[in-house]
mmCIF file with all atom_site columns, all heavy atoms in Angstrom:
data_model
loop_
_atom_site.group_PDB
_atom_site.id
_atom_site.type_symbol
_atom_site.label_atom_id
_atom_site.label_alt_id
_atom_site.label_comp_id
_atom_site.label_asym_id
_atom_site.label_entity_id
_atom_site.label_seq_id
_atom_site.pdbx_PDB_ins_code
_atom_site.Cartn_x
_atom_site.Cartn_y
_atom_site.Cartn_z
_atom_site.occupancy
_atom_site.B_iso_or_equiv
_atom_site.pdbx_formal_charge
_atom_site.auth_seq_id
_atom_site.auth_comp_id
_atom_site.auth_asym_id
_atom_site.auth_atom_id
_atom_site.pdbx_PDB_model_num
ATOM 1  N N   . PRO A 1 77 ? -12.594 -12.181 17.578 1.00 96.00 ? 77 PRO A N   1
ATOM 2  C CA  . PRO A 1 77 ? -11.918 -11.275 16.638 1.00 96.00 ? 77 PRO A CA  1
ATOM 3  C C   . PRO A 1 77 ? -12.094 -9.803  17.001 1.00 96.00 ? 77 PRO A C   1
ATOM 4  O O   . PRO A 1 77 ? -11.153 -9.012  16.894 1.00 96.00 ? 77 PRO A O   1
ATOM 5  C CB  . PRO A 1 77 ? -12.570 -11.605 15.288 1.00 96.00 ? 77 PRO A CB  1
ATOM 6  C CG  . PRO A 1 77 ? -13.055 -13.011 15.427 1.00 96.00 ? 77 PRO A CG  1
ATOM 7  C CD  . PRO A 1 77 ? -13.511 -13.095 16.849 1.00 96.00 ? 77 PRO A CD  1
ATOM 8  N N   . ALA A 1 78 ? -13.300 -9.420  17.441 1.00 97.00 ? 78 ALA A N   1
ATOM 9  C CA  . ALA A 1 78 ? -13.518 -8.027  17.838 1.00 97.00 ? 78 ALA A CA  1
ATOM 10 C C   . ALA A 1 78 ? -12.719 -7.689  19.094 1.00 97.00 ? 78 ALA A C   1
ATOM 11 O O   . ALA A 1 78 ? -12.154 -6.590  19.212 1.00 97.00 ? 78 ALA A O   1
ATOM 12 C CB  . ALA A 1 78 ? -15.004 -7.780  18.078 1.00 97.00 ? 78 ALA A CB  1
ATOM 13 N N   . ALA A 1 79 ? -12.668 -8.613  20.036 1.00 97.00 ? 79 ALA A N   1
ATOM 14 C CA  . ALA A 1 79 ? -11.877 -8.387  21.245 1.00 97.00 ? 79 ALA A CA  1
ATOM 15 C C   . ALA A 1 79 ? -10.400 -8.226  20.898 1.00 97.00 ? 79 ALA A C   1
ATOM 16 O O   . ALA A 1 79 ? -9.703  -7.363  21.444 1.00 97.00 ? 79 ALA A O   1
ATOM 17 C CB  . ALA A 1 79 ? -12.073 -9.549  22.227 1.00 97.00 ? 79 ALA A CB  1
ATOM 18 N N   . LEU A 1 80 ? -9.918  -9.026  19.950 1.00 98.00 ? 80 LEU A N   1
ATOM 19 C CA  . LEU A 1 80 ? -8.523  -8.927  19.524 1.00 98.00 ? 80 LEU A CA  1
ATOM 20 C C   . LEU A 1 80 ? -8.253  -7.584  18.847 1.00 98.00 ? 80 LEU A C   1
ATOM 21 O O   . LEU A 1 80 ? -7.191  -6.987  19.029 1.00 98.00 ? 80 LEU A O   1
ATOM 22 C CB  . LEU A 1 80 ? -8.189  -10.083 18.575 1.00 98.00 ? 80 LEU A CB  1
ATOM 23 C CG  . LEU A 1 80 ? -8.035  -11.447 19.251 1.00 98.00 ? 80 LEU A CG  1
ATOM 24 C CD1 . LEU A 1 80 ? -8.119  -12.569 18.225 1.00 98.00 ? 80 LEU A CD1 1
ATOM 25 C CD2 . LEU A 1 80 ? -6.721  -11.512 20.015 1.00 98.00 ? 80 LEU A CD2 1
ATOM 26 N N   . ALA A 1 81 ? -9.232  -7.112  18.070 1.00 98.00 ? 81 ALA A N   1
ATOM 27 C CA  . ALA A 1 81 ? -9.062  -5.812  17.424 1.00 98.00 ? 81 ALA A CA  1
ATOM 28 C C   . ALA A 1 81 ? -8.944  -4.704  18.466 1.00 98.00 ? 81 ALA A C   1
ATOM 29 O O   . ALA A 1 81 ? -8.101  -3.797  18.347 1.00 98.00 ? 81 ALA A O   1
ATOM 30 C CB  . ALA A 1 81 ? -10.226 -5.542  16.480 1.00 98.00 ? 81 ALA A CB  1
ATOM 31 N N   . LEU A 1 82 ? -9.755  -4.771  19.498 1.00 97.00 ? 82 LEU A N   1
ATOM 32 C CA  . LEU A 1 82 ? -9.674  -3.762  20.551 1.00 97.00 ? 82 LEU A CA  1
ATOM 33 C C   . LEU A 1 82 ? -8.346  -3.863  21.314 1.00 97.00 ? 82 LEU A C   1
ATOM 34 O O   . LEU A 1 82 ? -7.734  -2.846  21.658 1.00 97.00 ? 82 LEU A O   1
ATOM 35 C CB  . LEU A 1 82 ? -10.852 -3.902  21.510 1.00 97.00 ? 82 LEU A CB  1
ATOM 36 C CG  . LEU A 1 82 ? -12.216 -3.455  20.955 1.00 97.00 ? 82 LEU A CG  1
ATOM 37 C CD1 . LEU A 1 82 ? -13.334 -3.767  21.954 1.00 97.00 ? 82 LEU A CD1 1
ATOM 38 C CD2 . LEU A 1 82 ? -12.207 -1.964  20.627 1.00 97.00 ? 82 LEU A CD2 1
ATOM 39 N N   . LEU A 1 83 ? -7.897  -5.079  21.575 1.00 97.00 ? 83 LEU A N   1
ATOM 40 C CA  . LEU A 1 83 ? -6.597  -5.244  22.227 1.00 97.00 ? 83 LEU A CA  1
ATOM 41 C C   . LEU A 1 83 ? -5.482  -4.694  21.345 1.00 97.00 ? 83 LEU A C   1
ATOM 42 O O   . LEU A 1 83 ? -4.532  -4.059  21.839 1.00 97.00 ? 83 LEU A O   1
ATOM 43 C CB  . LEU A 1 83 ? -6.343  -6.726  22.535 1.00 97.00 ? 83 LEU A CB  1
ATOM 44 C CG  . LEU A 1 83 ? -7.089  -7.316  23.734 1.00 97.00 ? 83 LEU A CG  1
ATOM 45 C CD1 . LEU A 1 83 ? -6.914  -8.829  23.764 1.00 97.00 ? 83 LEU A CD1 1
ATOM 46 C CD2 . LEU A 1 83 ? -6.594  -6.694  25.045 1.00 97.00 ? 83 LEU A CD2 1
ATOM 47 N N   . ASP A 1 84 ? -5.591  -4.929  20.064 1.00 97.00 ? 84 ASP A N   1
ATOM 48 C CA  . ASP A 1 84 ? -4.585  -4.436  19.126 1.00 97.00 ? 84 ASP A CA  1
ATOM 49 C C   . ASP A 1 84 ? -4.544  -2.910  19.128 1.00 97.00 ? 84 ASP A C   1
ATOM 50 O O   . ASP A 1 84 ? -3.489  -2.297  18.937 1.00 97.00 ? 84 ASP A O   1
ATOM 51 C CB  . ASP A 1 84 ? -4.905  -4.955  17.722 1.00 97.00 ? 84 ASP A CB  1
ATOM 52 C CG  . ASP A 1 84 ? -3.750  -4.775  16.758 1.00 97.00 ? 84 ASP A CG  1
ATOM 53 O OD1 . ASP A 1 84 ? -2.595  -4.809  17.201 1.00 97.00 ? 84 ASP A OD1 1
ATOM 54 O OD2 . ASP A 1 84 ? -4.013  -4.602  15.547 1.00 97.00 ? 84 ASP A OD2 1
ATOM 55 N N   . GLU A 1 85 ? -5.688  -2.288  19.369 1.00 96.00 ? 85 GLU A N   1
ATOM 56 C CA  . GLU A 1 85 ? -5.781  -0.827  19.416 1.00 96.00 ? 85 GLU A CA  1
ATOM 57 C C   . GLU A 1 85 ? -5.484  -0.276  20.810 1.00 96.00 ? 85 GLU A C   1
ATOM 58 O O   . GLU A 1 85 ? -5.525  0.942   21.015 1.00 96.00 ? 85 GLU A O   1
ATOM 59 C CB  . GLU A 1 85 ? -7.181  -0.387  18.989 1.00 96.00 ? 85 GLU A CB  1
ATOM 60 C CG  . GLU A 1 85 ? -7.464  -0.563  17.521 1.00 96.00 ? 85 GLU A CG  1
ATOM 61 C CD  . GLU A 1 85 ? -6.684  0.435   16.668 1.00 96.00 ? 85 GLU A CD  1
ATOM 62 O OE1 . GLU A 1 85 ? -7.041  1.616   16.661 1.00 96.00 ? 85 GLU A OE1 1
ATOM 63 O OE2 . GLU A 1 85 ? -5.707  0.015   16.030 1.00 96.00 ? 85 GLU A OE2 1
ATOM 64 N N   . GLY A 1 86 ? -5.237  -1.166  21.767 1.00 94.00 ? 86 GLY A N   1
ATOM 65 C CA  . GLY A 1 86 ? -4.997  -0.715  23.135 1.00 94.00 ? 86 GLY A CA  1
ATOM 66 C C   . GLY A 1 86 ? -6.258  -0.298  23.853 1.00 94.00 ? 86 GLY A C   1
ATOM 67 O O   . GLY A 1 86 ? -6.207  0.402   24.873 1.00 94.00 ? 86 GLY A O   1
ATOM 68 N N   . ALA A 1 87 ? -7.402  -0.752  23.337 1.00 95.00 ? 87 ALA A N   1
ATOM 69 C CA  . ALA A 1 87 ? -8.686  -0.355  23.916 1.00 95.00 ? 87 ALA A CA  1
ATOM 70 C C   . ALA A 1 87 ? -9.410  -1.520  24.586 1.00 95.00 ? 87 ALA A C   1
ATOM 71 O O   . ALA A 1 87 ? -10.546 -1.369  25.022 1.00 95.00 ? 87 ALA A O   1
ATOM 72 C CB  . ALA A 1 87 ? -9.584  0.242   22.829 1.00 95.00 ? 87 ALA A CB  1
ATOM 73 N N   . GLY A 1 88 ? -8.756  -2.682  24.658 1.00 95.00 ? 88 GLY A N   1
ATOM 74 C CA  . GLY A 1 88 ? -9.379  -3.842  25.281 1.00 95.00 ? 88 GLY A CA  1
ATOM 75 C C   . GLY A 1 88 ? -9.043  -3.923  26.770 1.00 95.00 ? 88 GLY A C   1
ATOM 76 O O   . GLY A 1 88 ? -8.323  -3.088  27.319 1.00 95.00 ? 88 GLY A O   1
ATOM 77 N N   . ARG A 1 89 ? -9.558  -4.947  27.391 1.00 94.00 ? 89 ARG A N   1
ATOM 78 C CA  . ARG A 1 89 ? -9.319  -5.143  28.823 1.00 94.00 ? 89 ARG A CA  1
ATOM 79 C C   . ARG A 1 89 ? -8.181  -6.155  29.011 1.00 94.00 ? 89 ARG A C   1
ATOM 80 O O   . ARG A 1 89 ? -8.151  -7.184  28.331 1.00 94.00 ? 89 ARG A O   1
ATOM 81 C CB  . ARG A 1 89 ? -10.593 -5.636  29.499 1.00 94.00 ? 89 ARG A CB  1
ATOM 82 C CG  . ARG A 1 89 ? -11.689 -4.576  29.517 1.00 94.00 ? 89 ARG A CG  1
ATOM 83 C CD  . ARG A 1 89 ? -12.997 -5.102  30.047 1.00 94.00 ? 89 ARG A CD  1
ATOM 84 N NE  . ARG A 1 89 ? -13.996 -4.022  30.148 1.00 94.00 ? 89 ARG A NE  1
ATOM 85 C CZ  . ARG A 1 89 ? -15.293 -4.208  30.272 1.00 94.00 ? 89 ARG A CZ  1
ATOM 86 N NH1 . ARG A 1 89 ? -15.778 -5.458  30.319 1.00 94.00 ? 89 ARG A NH1 1
ATOM 87 N NH2 . ARG A 1 89 ? -16.114 -3.180  30.344 1.00 94.00 ? 89 ARG A NH2 1
#
Side-chain angles (χ1 to χ4, degrees):
L80 286 163
L82 288 175
L83 283 171
D84 194 30
E85 289 289 287
R89 292 174 176 163

